[in-house]
Amino acid sequence: MSGGPLKLVVAGPVGAGKTSFIQSLSELPVVETDEWASEAVGKEKTTVALDYGLLRLDGVPIHLFGTPGQERFCFMWEVLVEGALGLVLLVAGDRPQDLPQARRILEYLTSRHPVPFVLGVTRQDLPRVWGPEEVADYFGLEARQVVGLNATSPTSATLALVRMLELVTGKEWQGAW
Ligand SMILES: Nc1nc2c(ncn2[C@@H]2O[C@H](COP(=O)(O)OP(=O)(O)O)[C@@H](O)[C@H]2O)c(=O)[nH]1
Ligand SMILES: [Mg+2]
């Protein structure tokens, strides 16, 4: 992992947990660009441009960029994914109705820039949500590529990040690479 700043992109539908995930991992206060939503997105404010956070792994800075969830901002997704180390695509386990949109985002991004990705199913701390196995079936992905998490928990978010980095490096995490 060398050559230029390391960038990780977090994508997914509105409400998937992107901003929470970046907040859970970032050592800096997250720069948010939330604005009043122009669509009914189930919350008043939503990310319009991007979220930015920073974390260090073994001293190596990793820049975290969260993409806006609304599809009218899809041109931003592409800009962000270019040159990224990896992609974390999030979908909320209690919003199966968002799975088709999550699939569209994934296909949109990976068809333009082949990038290693992990699919994160958030809200695993809540009862009666879709688990990673069910979502893996829906996407036709291997179990390894789909991870359940609570995006609001730093420990849980870190484990999802580790899975992503294992996929990127092809190595298992031993406490260091
Ligand atoms: N219980 C629980 N709440 C979550 C989880 N992820 C996100 N949330 C909450 O869901 C709401 C939307 O999350 P947010 O990070 O803003 O989603 P975004 O639109 O993808 O950036 C917030 O109120 C979060 O606190 C999770 O894994 N578990
Ligand atoms: Mg957000």
Side-chain angles (χ1 to χ4, degrees):
M1 299 202 293
S2 63
L6 297 178
K7 174 168 80 167
L8 206 76
V9 174
V10 184
V14 171
K18 301 178 295 296
T19 301
S20 306
F21 182 75
I22 293 173
Q23 278 167 344
S24 292
L25 292 174
S26 183
E27 65 181 42
L28 296 176
V30 171
V31 179
E32 288 179 75
T33 54
D34 282 7
E35 245 323 325
W36 303 105
S38 60
E39 301 166 27
V41 292
K43 53 182 190 167
E44 290 184 329
K45 284 198 158 190
T46 190
T47 306
V48 289
L50 51 84
D51 294 325
Y52 171 76
L54 176 71
L55 73 94
R56 270 170 231 278
L57 272 183
D58 288 345
V60 180
I62 299 189
H63 305 271
L64 298 165
F65 291 95
T67 66
Q70 291 171 286
E71 292 195 46
R72 66 197 176 89
F73 294 111
C74 66
F75 63 93
M76 284 288 302
W77 308 341
E78 207 185 327
V79 173
L80 288 170
V81 153
E82 195 172 0
L85 168 73
L87 166 71
V88 178
L89 184 87
L90 296 178
V91 65
D94 62 350
R95 296 179 61 96
Q97 67 274 25
D98 288 349
L99 285 168
Q101 198 206 345
R103 202 211 298 260
R104 279 199 299 280
I105 296 172
L106 186 65
E107 281 172 4
Y108 184 95
L109 292 176
T110 55
S111 65
R112 282 164 176 81
H113 301 283
V115 61
F117 68 90
V118 73
L119 188 57
V121 188
T122 61
R123 297 175 179 260
Q124 296 302 304
D125 53 309
L126 300 178
R128 290 188 301 280
V129 298
W130 280 46
E133 304 81 13
E134 292 159 288
V135 175
D137 278 351
Y138 176 89
F139 278 85
L141 291 170
E142 277 183 45
R144 242 177 92 61
Q145 213 161 0
V146 187
V147 57
L149 73 151
N150 170 0
T152 66
S153 151
T155 309
S156 184
T158 302
L159 289 173
L161 178 79
V162 165
R163 178 70 66 81
M164 148 101 273
L165 293 170
E166 285 178 345
L167 291 172
V168 170
T169 60
K171 293 184 200 159
E172 288 204 8
W173 171 255
Q174 310 284 347
W177 271 281

